[in-house]
Amino acid sequence: MGKLASGRQTLVVGAVCLAVLFLWPRLGTMGAKVPSSLVAVIVGMIMVPLFGMNVSTIGDLCTINAGLPELHVPQLSIDLVGEEHFRPNIDDAIEHARELIAAEDAAKEAKAA
């Protein structure tokens, strides 16, 4: 029963947060000044302890270290940054630029005519 109750409570928190996301912008000046996503996060954070809800948190799913991550130099090889990875993207970018230039020239010709 505990797992089912937790699932229902999580569903309620999610539904309330979604309702806040969609309804908050319709509140006029207050809705325009404060982003609805921020309000939804705050409402969810307040709801859980206020109503004593048993919902899973990120800390329940995995451990979060309190310190900064260890600094290290990433290991890169020439194979990762080789031509076969970049060449298709460069060709696509050049082709796209040509299409944009052609469309711009056509628009100028149409405007001049």
Side-chain angles (χ1 to χ4, degrees), residues 54-66:
N54 181 22
V55 297
S56 296
T57 62
I58 294 172
D60 295 335
L61 302 174
C62 61
T63 59
I64 302 172
N65 296 331

Side-chain angles (χ1 to χ4, degrees), residues 18-31:
L18 278 173
V20 169
L21 279 172
F22 290 112
L23 297 176
W24 185 258
R26 302 180 199 284
L27 292 179
T29 57
M30 183 65 136

Side-chain angles (χ1 to χ4, degrees), residues 58-112:
I58 294 172
D60 295 335
L61 302 174
C62 61
T63 59
I64 302 172
N65 296 331
L68 294 172
E70 182 181 320
L71 292 176
H72 66 279
V73 177
Q75 294 181 358
L76 296 175
S77 69
I78 196 68
D79 296 333
L80 293 175
V81 292
E83 184 177 327
E84 67 273 0
H85 296 295
F86 288 107
R87 185 67 184 184
N89 295 331
I90 291 171
D91 291 342
D92 289 343
I94 291 171
E95 181 62 30
H96 186 64
R98 286 181 182 155
E99 290 172 3
L100 288 174
I101 291 170
E104 185 178 304
D105 289 344
K108 285 180 183 176
E109 288 176 9
K111 189 176 182 180

Side-chain angles (χ1 to χ4, degrees), residues 10-23 40 43-44 47 53:
T10 303
L11 183 64
V12 169
V13 172
V16 169
C17 289
L18 278 173
V20 169
L21 279 172
F22 290 112
L23 297 176
V43 166
M47 265 181 70
M53 296 178 146

